[in-house]
Amino acid sequence: MHSAQGMMRDRSRILTEALSVTSISPMPMKPIPKIPALLLGLLLSPVLASSALANPYEMQLRNGLRVIVKEDHRAPTVVNMVWYRAGSMDEKDGYSGVAHALEHLMFKQTRHHKSGEFNQIVAAAGGNDNAFTNLDYTAYFQIVPKRALPQMMALESDRMQNLAFNKEEFASEMKVVMEERRLRTEDNPQALVYEAMNAAAYKAHPYRRPVIGWMNDLENMSWQDAMNWYKDWYTPSNAYVVIVGDVNKDEVFRLAEKYYGGIKPHALPVRKPQVEPEQRGIKRVVVKAPASLPYIAMAWKVPKLVDVNKDVDPYALQVLAAVLDGHDAARLSRTLVRETRVAQSAGAGYDATVRGETLFYLDGQPGEGHTVAELEAALRGELKKIQEQGVDEAELKRVKVQLVASQVYKRDSMMAQAMEIGGLEASGFHWKDIDTILEKLKGVTAAQVQAVAKKYFSDDVLTVAVLDPQPIDPKAAHKPSVPLKH
Amino acid sequence: MRIHTFLITTACLVLSGLAQAGVKIEHWTTPTGARVYFVASDALPILDVQVDIAAGSAQDPAGKSGLASITRGLLDAGVQAAADAPALDEEQIAGRVVDLGIRLGGGVDSDRTSLTLRTLADTEQRNGGLTLLRRLLSAPSFPQDVLTREKARTIAAIQEADTRPASVLSRRFGAALYGDHPYGRTPSVESVGAVTRDDIVAFHRNNYSSAGAVISMIGNISRAEAESIAADLAAALPSHAPVAAIPPVSRPKGELVRIDHPSTQAHIAVGMPAVKRSDPEYYALLVGNYTLGGGGFVSKLMQEVREKRGYAYDVHSYFAPRLLEGPFQIGLQTRREQADAALKVVNTVLDGYLKNGPSEAELAAAKKFYIDGLALRIDSNAKLLGYLSAIGFYGLPLSYIDDYPKIIGSVTAEQVRAAFASHLNKDNLVTVIVGGDK
């Protein structure tokens, strides 16, 4: 879900490249994550399951800013990331999309730099930079030759405290954000289904709102709204820095003190729990949009990971998702795409590490000559098989072999290592928890997988969203629902 | 398409940092003619292997576009029995991949077909992975039943893509640039429907040859082991003559193509066939394009279209060199009502740049970006593997690595202007707009 909704400032391949080992995209090109996010976290983890290793290292400044450093001396480069625990879930109705809009505005002028200078300085160092916003967080990064790290930290420090975009810059950038929404969502039928599904599944919890925001909220957003967001949430005590690369930790800690140490923290707005009331029956939504293939997504409300040591079910759900769709020989593709051919594509997803609530997804497109109803029945049938017959040891072993191999492969990418640390921290866990999570996943039994399959997949907590493909009428221009402002 | 071309482009830029980082490329030719590029690296206990076959989609026969891609896609659909091993079906192959913890990848572009393997360097996994790789390349069984299924899935995917403005643009832009040349063809419902098992068997037999193949390797193995692996892979392929040359590319007549679509945004592309990978002026085009539309927020297109006017989220330009003239392309998407206004800005920027070229400051910034940024484009085995294969496939000199900063550093503003003038011509520029109000 995180990986599915993230918005980026620029169409960049940096992240996709970093994560290509596991072929997931941080951009919402597929509305449902194909690889369970917790598993993904593990695939990308930089930490060997040996707590004897001191690397990564961390420290905290007096203003509350945490700094996490992973030394990796393979190449003379460094990834510098600043994460803020401010995502779309912290927005209020009528202000949807403001977290992401502010992410764009963070590249505008500050008290010390003119608009555009940030990118010029990064580019002049030979580096790449970008930013992304999600349900739980907003994050910024640069990948640079190591000598440029102090300069990058100075830039991040500056925009953490001195952002000063003006009204003209705001108005212009909001046009860009609306173009981004058109590109990602309005003209993307599966994204529309995903958006509709979340809006239906949650009625109280803020995950019901799309990260990029509703178009009408974007049209009515003001300079003051964005500036308020910045003033509310951008403070060192609500942020952490993740640095991976050819650096010395003590030197980085010294630089962190120098650049961030003087920033005064302030209190954060009150966060209400906004717990979703119990769902009392199946919800169904239909989205009509130009397309040729129908599409179905099914989402059950299930528990997330809360206590890494005591919890059992979230790990079992994670393994269930991997048994269904975690690798080349997993059940959904083998059975529904290759054997019965009821599906053109089929997938499963579950993200255990979230700040809010979570869903277990199944999704797919029907195969030639098959209907959405047949695919829905087939997806349910795969769950039923596990409810009744369980999974076998060989399947569990395969999931674990993937975990072990991926642990090694992920070390080939510094960006992936930084993403893994940052992502786990964003959902409220500590990067050190990765060791425990990994061991717990390896310890999941067949009986536990069968038990969660039986326990959580009631229709009473299910939301089903279906794409009803509409023929393309080239002459029928889609009219914006509301006249655009200029 | 954009990602793919970007990969090729960057693959061709990089490499200088190799020398800085003390990475040594070893090169030799196997007895059966495959060229091998190898970097020994003990930083991680893994091995990456890429085999490039000198036949891409440009070798698809007319009316059968998609053949190279389907052939590649079916390599893991089954392998024939060998003297010491039984036949494997697709489920057995998938199971073996998973049990070994290996990753298979690769794909097809216009010029080449690739198959990649990532494996742990442990003997058991490595040998298992390499044996599977060799069998997939040399003895695929292409079962008819799987072909039937995959053709149906491919056709469904094409039909779906044909409803998306970005896909329609890509198809129509390629056709407008290249006409009936193989570079301009894309798989269609009809062309995929026309592909038979006999076509696939013949394509594999005629094109998957060790002559013209490039084997790239990086990982925790010795030179002797690398030689043995390469010889084994190459020996499994026939060594007949290389594939037929791709016919020459001719420049199109400039035109504006409008395609109706109900999407909220118009998708726009401007470009023409432009540059071969072997063209010495490629570096001037590369450096020059940084200022035009390749440098992200630093570029003129991004400044004028996005930053000043808010017309688009994404606007970019690139040269995508191929064996023959690969495309120059400017791309953007904008609210349908303002398509013409945005296009006008794009054309004004392009005209100005063709006339004036980069300023000295812009040129210096571009060169600094490429030279100083080299290190971070080669800081992983996965990235290095891409560069090894590009060196091998496009026949770049081994000294390319050491030469790169000098080549980029020596580009002058006058060379940029001259290269743009000789490779781009307003009379040949094609514009395609999908969606948008007139």
Side-chain angles (χ1 to χ4, degrees), chain A residues 26 45 61 101 115 124 139 201 204 209 214 225 238 244 271 280 329 336 342 356 389 392 401 434 465 474:
Chain A
S45 164
L61 299 176
S115 265
R209 291 186 298 257
W214 300 113
D225 296 336
N238 195 41
V244 177
R271 287 181 167 119
R280 295 169 185 274
L336 303 186
V342 69
Q389 298 155 37
D392 60 46
V401 166
I434 195 69

Side-chain angles (χ1 to χ4, degrees), chain A residues 145-155 251 255 258-259:
Chain A
K146 65 175 178 179
R147 65 180 169 275
L149 179 63
Q151 204 175 14
M152 298 302 115
M153 294 172 80
L155 284 170
E251 171 68 5
L255 290 169
K258 175 180 173 186
Y259 290 114

Side-chain angles (χ1 to χ4, degrees), chain A residues 90-240:
Chain A
D90 300 304
E91 296 164 350
K92 293 184 165 63
D93 279 353
Y95 300 84
S96 69
V98 68
H100 170 250
L102 196 273
E103 175 220 306
H104 279 235
L105 295 163
M106 281 281 277
F107 293 83
K108 302 300 182 188
Q109 62 179 308
T110 70
R111 286 215 294 274
H112 299 300
H113 291 288
K114 286 188 286 212
S115 265
E117 275 186 23
F118 193 102
N119 293 115
Q120 286 166 19
I121 293 169
V122 175
N128 296 308
D129 71 306
N130 212 327
F132 48 97
T133 306
N134 219 318
L135 297 163
D136 294 353
Y137 59 81
T138 307
Y140 303 82
F141 69 90
Q142 305 86 41
I143 309 174
V144 290
K146 65 175 178 179
R147 65 180 169 275
L149 179 63
Q151 204 175 14
M152 298 302 115
M153 294 172 80
L155 284 170
E156 288 291 7
S157 163
D158 178 44
R159 67 180 175 180
M160 186 181 284
Q161 53 190 322
N162 297 322
L163 190 64
F165 58 88
N166 63 34
K167 290 185 177 165
E168 291 69 37
E169 289 169 335
F170 169 81
S172 177
E173 197 61 30
M174 288 311 295
K175 291 183 192 169
V176 173
V177 172
M178 285 186 262
E179 292 294 348
E180 185 177 354
R181 183 180 160 89
R182 290 184 190 102
L183 182 68
R184 294 183 184 283
T185 306
E186 304 292 343
D187 289 338
N188 181 343
Q190 290 195 9
L192 289 170
V193 171
Y194 183 67
E195 186 173 87
M197 184 178 71
N198 283 323
Y202 295 114
K203 57 185 178 186
H205 193 277
Y207 279 1
R208 72 185 189 283
R209 291 186 298 257
V211 172
I212 199 159
W214 300 113
M215 189 63 100
N216 185 253
D217 286 350
L218 298 179
E219 287 161 357
N220 289 289
M221 196 172 289
S222 71
W223 175 90
Q224 193 64 54
D225 296 336
M227 195 48 92
N228 287 347
W229 181 263
Y230 176 69
K231 287 179 176 162
D232 282 347
W233 297 105
Y234 281 63
T235 179
S237 56
N238 195 41
Y240 51 97

